[in-house]
Amino acid sequence: MDGAAASAAVDRDAADAQNAGAEMTPTFVINGKKLVGALPKEQFYEEIDSAARLARSGARLPY
């Protein structure tokens, strides 16, 4: 990838992130819920487990 292609790829990625609501790094989205900042791994486990429970129950996600 040349300099122009790399620059264009970075610009596209930045636009995608902005369109997704990412305003800083790190930003993660788990089943539509945005987690921002350096968070403890336990918070990720909790969010993933919660989303999995909802999916297994057939309930609709609240976000």
Side-chain angles (χ1 to χ4, degrees):
M1 185 180 297
D2 66 20
S7 180
V10 169
D11 289 344
R12 281 191 306 275
D13 287 348
D16 288 345
Q18 187 175 25
N19 289 336
E23 299 168 353
M24 62 179 284
T25 57
T27 298
F28 300 90
V29 179
I30 299 174
N31 274 354
K33 184 173 183 181
K34 187 167 51 170
L35 301 173
V36 179
L39 303 171
K41 65 184 177 200
E42 291 78 16
Q43 188 165 354
F44 286 96
Y45 298 157
E46 183 179 312
E47 294 296 337
I48 292 167
D49 289 344
S50 175
R53 280 191 303 275
L54 280 171
R56 283 192 299 268
S57 74
R60 303 187 95 197
L61 296 173
Y63 28 79

